[in-house]
Amino acid sequence: MLQIQEVEFAYGGSQAVAGCTFDVPDRKVTGLIGPNGAGKSTLMEIIAGGLTPSSGRIVFDGTEIQGLGRIRVARLGIIRTFQTPRELTRLPVMENLVFAAPNQIGEGPLQSLFRRSRWAAQERELRLKAESLLEWVGLTKLREEPAGSLSGGQRRLLEIARAMMAEPKLLLLDEPSAGVFPAVRKLIAERIREMVERGITVLVVAHNMAFLSDVADDVVVMAQGKVLRRGTLSEVRADESVVAAYLGGGHVGGTS
Amino acid sequence: MLYFIADLLALGAINAIMAVGLNLQYGQAGILNFTYYTFVAIGAYIGAVTTMGHPPVPASEETFILQWNLPWPVALVLAGAVAGVLGLFMVLVVIRRLRSDYLAIVTVSLGFIVWDLITNYVPLFNGANGLFNVPYILNGATASEITYTLEVFGVAMVVLAVCVWVVRSIFRSPYGRVLRAIREDEVVAASFGKATTSSRVWAFVLGCVMAGLAGALLVFYVNAWNPQGFLAEESFILMAAIVIGGPGNYWGAVLGTFVFVELLSEIERYLPNFGNGALVGAGRAVLIGIVLIVVIRFRPDGLIPERWLRWYRVPAGGGQGGAAGSQSRGEPRRRLGWPWLGQRSEI
């Protein structure tokens, strides 16, 4: 589905991603973990088209997508959520969802004026779909509320529903469980598993091990911009070099 | 008194056209355009020079380009078109590289460039002296002052109706939603594959077209135009009217101009002049500032907030009613193709 090949990126002098290579297999949840500053979020941003890598390739469904820009990457079916939820705060929850649907008729100025009957019909379908997604994440009652008034956990759920509305092939989730109540975390994990059953491929950055063990088929550990280890969660947790990387980069294979 | 009211109505309708256009740019698309009145001026000049004919009527010392003698509806459309094209050029220069605040600063400087050009390059629009003796439209040359005022009011209301229809259609359409999404968070809009640049460009251009239309109507009404008519201050007053009326809401824009621009320009005559006539204008500016601060403090979303517009009303047709509408009426919910989303969970 997605191949990341020798990707490098530097912010000024600091090498955030230094020759990172791994595959994201089709219809699986791949977890991406690593200590702070390992380059996970930067890599997500590169995949999403927000940053252009200085070298390396990112291949999605056989096409190279590095440096295409957010809009074209999104149109290929790669949809992301954000580390800090970014709702359209002054728009109601419903608008936040319907907006995300791809290829809408009436998104151009002329169409909006002269293709009214066509986009109106589409609008009804999209709202029904949005309704069912709201129910799916348990936000039905908040349909009309401005998204800015939601709590942290509700925002995470809304982001997931919104991403689903965009009919993604590959979903990039950046810390979907950060800062939420354990019950909501469980729900989010459940929903992610359901997405995979629907044929969506997921790459998820997370810190919470309980959450990862619920969702991830496979985990990639990054440290200092490189892939350190890959395997199931229990495998990588048992790996000494991974533990060392979390405890402090200088002690790989360390003494204690 | 009757004339006074008619004059208020006519100017109010023309100002409302401007406000609706600026509201599309600022309220919907989130583009801070501090030189909106420049496009009004362009419309006014084009409206003037395409109807004044050659030689200018009556023969005068005025020098200006074109000197066409077109019927006024054609001139009106042309004024809108030219303002739109200039808006397109301007926005293409600035929008790709610049974001909100920086873009606003560039609009200010572009406004000054146009102002200086028109003022100093006399062959264009007769420089600082401006154009006068712009012909009346309809039967204005022979009709009484009040009849002509009411006629202009009628024409302006027709144009305003068209503009409100356009903005309203956009507001309710997926295009309007994309504009609002870009306004809220451009990165998110792009991350869902929305055409961020072209959406904003067209909103800007449409707003400029409306400015041009309003400018042409204004010059047909007052029959003269010079650079003193489009000082930077005018754009700020319009912007203030929108902030007060309710950015994003087209009715707010209309209300804002009728109440704010009109009342405040009329209130001028009641302000004390402190023994110096020039202070009256300053007093008005101070008053505008005070009103603005009060409104932003107590009603930050304006007098008619955007959320008062009905978000979910789907245009009639198909006999289903809107999805949200059928919800609120308690009808059974239809499910379309997402049966797997069955289970309900409440947080």
Side-chain angles (χ1 to χ4, degrees):
Chain A
M1 175 57 89
L2 183 77
Q3 287 111 40
I4 293 152
Q5 299 167 354
E6 293 296 329
V7 169
E8 294 195 15
F9 184 85
Y11 291 104
S14 84
Q15 192 78 17
V17 182
C20 189
T21 303
F22 65 93
D23 286 3
V24 179
D26 212 354
R27 292 168 178 247
K28 289 273 192 291
V29 179
T30 306
L32 186 58
I33 63 172
N36 291 332
K40 308 179 298 286
S41 289
T42 306
L43 185 63
M44 293 292 253
E45 193 69 26
I46 292 171
I47 300 170
L51 296 171
T52 305
S54 51
S55 68
R57 306 195 317 153
I58 296 171
V59 182
F60 175 69
D61 264 354
T63 43
E64 286 191 30
I65 60 161
Q66 72 275 10
L68 274 188
R70 294 180 202 282
I71 298 174
R72 285 162 75 188
V73 168
R75 286 179 182 174
L76 286 171
I78 301 180
I79 297 296
R80 65 170 310 183
T81 66
F82 295 86
Q83 192 170 6
T84 345
R86 289 175 83 159
E87 262 66 54
L88 308 172
T89 47
R90 284 187 294 174
L91 304 189
V93 167
M94 187 55 135
E95 292 276 295
N96 266 276
L97 282 185
V98 178
F99 137 82
N103 305 319
Q104 295 181 38
I105 309 162
E107 277 188 355
L110 287 177
Q111 291 176 331
S112 73
L113 296 178
F114 302 115
R115 292 277 179 85
R116 211 180 159 86
S117 55
R118 286 185 57 193
W119 63 250
Q122 165 196 268
E123 197 82 341
R124 277 189 292 278
E125 282 181 28
L126 290 180
R127 283 182 196 285
L128 284 175
K129 187 173 159 187
E131 283 286 337
S132 59
L133 277 169
L134 278 179
E135 200 174 313
W136 184 58
V137 294
L139 295 178
T140 306
K141 284 180 188 158
L142 300 168
R143 189 198 300 125
E144 313 277 339
E145 300 296 319
S149 70
L150 301 190
S151 74
Q154 289 166 338
R155 286 184 187 209
R156 297 273 178 208
L157 288 165
L158 178 56
E159 281 228 323
I160 286 171
R162 183 171 72 178
M164 284 307 285
M165 195 74 194
E167 296 169 8
K169 290 180 190 152
L170 172 66
L171 195 56
L172 307 174
L173 301 171
D174 201 345
E175 307 216 14
S177 70
V180 303
F181 193 63
V184 179
R185 200 167 62 218
K186 270 251 170 318
L187 178 71
I188 292 173
E190 217 173 275
R191 294 299 177 250
I192 293 173
R193 291 309 314 182
E194 286 174 37
M195 290 176 186
V196 177
E197 283 160 29
R198 294 292 295 181
I200 295 170
T201 305
V202 180
L203 177 62
V204 53
V205 171
H207 280 287
N208 187 297
M209 292 298 151
F211 175 75
L212 272 177
S213 71
D214 283 346
V215 297
D217 295 296
D218 208 3
V219 173
V220 174
V221 186
M222 275 183 83
Q224 295 170 348
K226 292 193 179 70
V227 174
L228 187 64
R229 182 83 164 78
R230 171 160 202 162
T232 64
L233 188 63
S234 47
E235 280 168 21
V236 301
R237 285 181 85 170
D239 190 305
E240 273 183 27
S241 63
V242 173
V243 177
Y246 266 94
L247 294 179
H251 301 286
V252 176
T255 50
S256 63
Chain B
M1 185 61 197
L2 215 55
Y3 171 71
F4 173 70
I5 292 171
D7 181 53
L8 264 188
L9 286 175
L11 284 177
I14 292 171
N15 272 308
I17 297 170
M18 298 175 201
V20 167
L22 180 59
N23 198 25
L24 180 62
Q25 295 183 344
Y26 171 62
Q28 287 289 302
I31 306 169
L32 264 174
N33 178 4
F34 278 128
T35 189
Y36 190 73
Y37 223 81
T38 301
F39 296 97
V40 174
I42 297 292
Y45 278 123
I46 295 297
V49 297
T50 53
T51 53
M52 285 170 76
H54 179 78
V57 282
S60 68
E61 300 294 304
E62 297 174 60
T63 56
F64 51 87
I65 55 166
L66 298 180
Q67 306 198 347
W68 291 347
N69 199 353
L70 299 174
W72 68 267
V74 181
L76 181 65
V77 171
L78 209 59
V82 171
V85 169
L86 282 178
L88 180 66
F89 279 131
M90 182 170 135
V91 79
L92 285 181
V93 171
V94 298
I95 211 164
R96 273 179 202 282
R97 298 262 165 225
L98 299 174
R99 297 289 163 260
S100 57
D101 311 358
Y102 304 99
L103 196 149
I105 292 167
V106 173
T107 62
V108 171
S109 50
L110 281 172
F112 279 116
I113 291 171
V114 172
W115 196 88
D116 278 338
L117 181 72
I118 289 176
T119 310
N120 294 313
Y121 186 57
V122 177
L124 192 59
F125 298 123
N126 206 28
N129 288 330
L131 302 171
F132 37 93
N133 295 320
V134 179
Y136 291 93
I137 59 172
L138 299 166
N139 61 350
T142 51
S144 70
E145 209 169 22
I146 183 158
T147 316
Y148 185 63
T149 304
L150 288 173
E151 281 173 5
V152 171
F153 172 63
V155 174
M157 284 307 280
V158 172
V159 176
L160 176 63
V162 173
C163 291
V164 168
W165 175 77
V166 168
V167 172
R168 197 178 99 126
S169 302
I170 287 174
F171 182 90
R172 294 181 170 189
S173 73
Y175 175 53
R177 188 163 53 224
V178 169
L179 286 180
R180 288 190 292 277
I182 298 167
R183 180 193 72 190
E184 295 294 309
D185 193 330
E186 193 175 342
V187 171
V188 170
S191 297
F192 283 88
K194 307 300 172 192
T196 48
T197 303
S198 72
S199 296
R200 300 177 86 195
V201 164
W202 288 119
F204 190 87
V205 168
L206 271 174
C208 288
V209 169
M210 291 174 194
L213 294 174
L217 285 171
L218 196 56
V219 82
F220 295 151
Y221 180 49
V222 300
N223 308 108
W225 193 263
N226 71 32
Q228 292 305 310
F230 64 110
L231 298 173
E233 185 191 327
E234 305 291 338
S235 297
F236 287 102
I237 292 175
L238 263 185
M239 189 65 90
I242 288 189
V243 170
I244 286 167
N249 188 325
Y250 39 87
W251 293 119
V254 175
L255 179 86
T257 37
F258 264 104
V259 171
F260 186 68
V261 178
E262 292 304 298
L263 285 188
L264 279 183
S265 59
E266 288 314 316
I267 222 163
E268 215 169 81
R269 71 186 68 196
Y270 304 110
L271 289 176
N273 66 10
F274 304 111
N276 179 352
L279 282 179
V280 173
R284 175 174 163 227
V286 169
L287 205 65
I288 289 170
I290 292 172
V291 173
L292 201 56
I293 289 167
V294 169
V295 168
I296 289 172
R297 170 65 185 81
F298 294 103
R299 274 193 86 85
D301 289 341
L303 296 175
I304 313 183
E306 182 179 5
R307 62 175 181 274
W308 285 14
L309 290 177
R310 293 184 55 185
W311 292 98
Y312 301 130
R313 206 160 79 205
V314 174
Q320 289 291 334
S326 62
Q327 278 282 305
S328 57
R329 268 180 256 117
E331 290 168 18
R333 192 178 296 127
R334 272 203 311 150
R335 289 228 177 80
L336 278 186
W338 291 70
W340 58 289
L341 303 176
Q343 67 274 56
R344 187 188 188 87
S345 43
E346 292 290 342
I347 305 302

